[in-house]
Amino acid sequence: MPFAGRIRREAGIATMAVGLILDGRQAEAILRDGEADLVAIGREALDDPNWPLHARQQLCDGSFDGWPEQSGWWLARRARTLDHKQN
């Protein structure tokens, strides 16, 4: 990210940050802080094909609304059960 931020500032062109962007909060911080205009999540997407859905869940309301119907409702139910057991 240091390279993307420097090029963005000095050359005034759009840049993309790559490498070790592990979660949605980190990606959002890179964009918010002006370090890059776009983030790439290649290896993380290999490790977690649902990375974009997890990022949305982290950054938005924590719901499973954006998930595919066949899995989202089960995950929401699971989350409610786990939350209920913790309280």
Side-chain angles (χ1 to χ4, degrees), residues 5 8-9 13-15 17 24 28 32 35 37 42 44 47-49 55 59-60 63 66-67 70 76 81 83 85:
R8 187 175 190 268
R9 285 186 299 278
I13 60 173
T15 60
E28 179 66 20
R32 183 184 58 244
E35 292 299 314
D37 300 286
E44 287 306 309
D47 181 56
D48 177 7
L59 297 171
C60 295
S63 74
W67 288 67
Q70 65 272 27
T81 301
D83 186 49
K85 286 183 179 185

Side-chain angles (χ1 to χ4, degrees), residues 12-24:
I13 60 173
T15 60
M16 178 172 51
V18 299
L20 294 176
I21 300 169
L22 304 177
D23 62 32

Side-chain angles (χ1 to χ4, degrees), residues 36-74:
D37 300 286
L38 181 70
V39 294
I41 56 156
R43 289 185 203 116
E44 287 306 309
L46 291 173
D47 181 56
D48 177 7
N50 291 318
W51 191 99
L53 294 168
H54 286 130
R56 179 188 181 276
Q57 188 178 20
Q58 280 181 331
L59 297 171
C60 295
D61 59 8
S63 74
F64 292 91
D65 291 344
W67 288 67
E69 186 177 341
Q70 65 272 27
S71 57
W73 75 277
W74 273 111

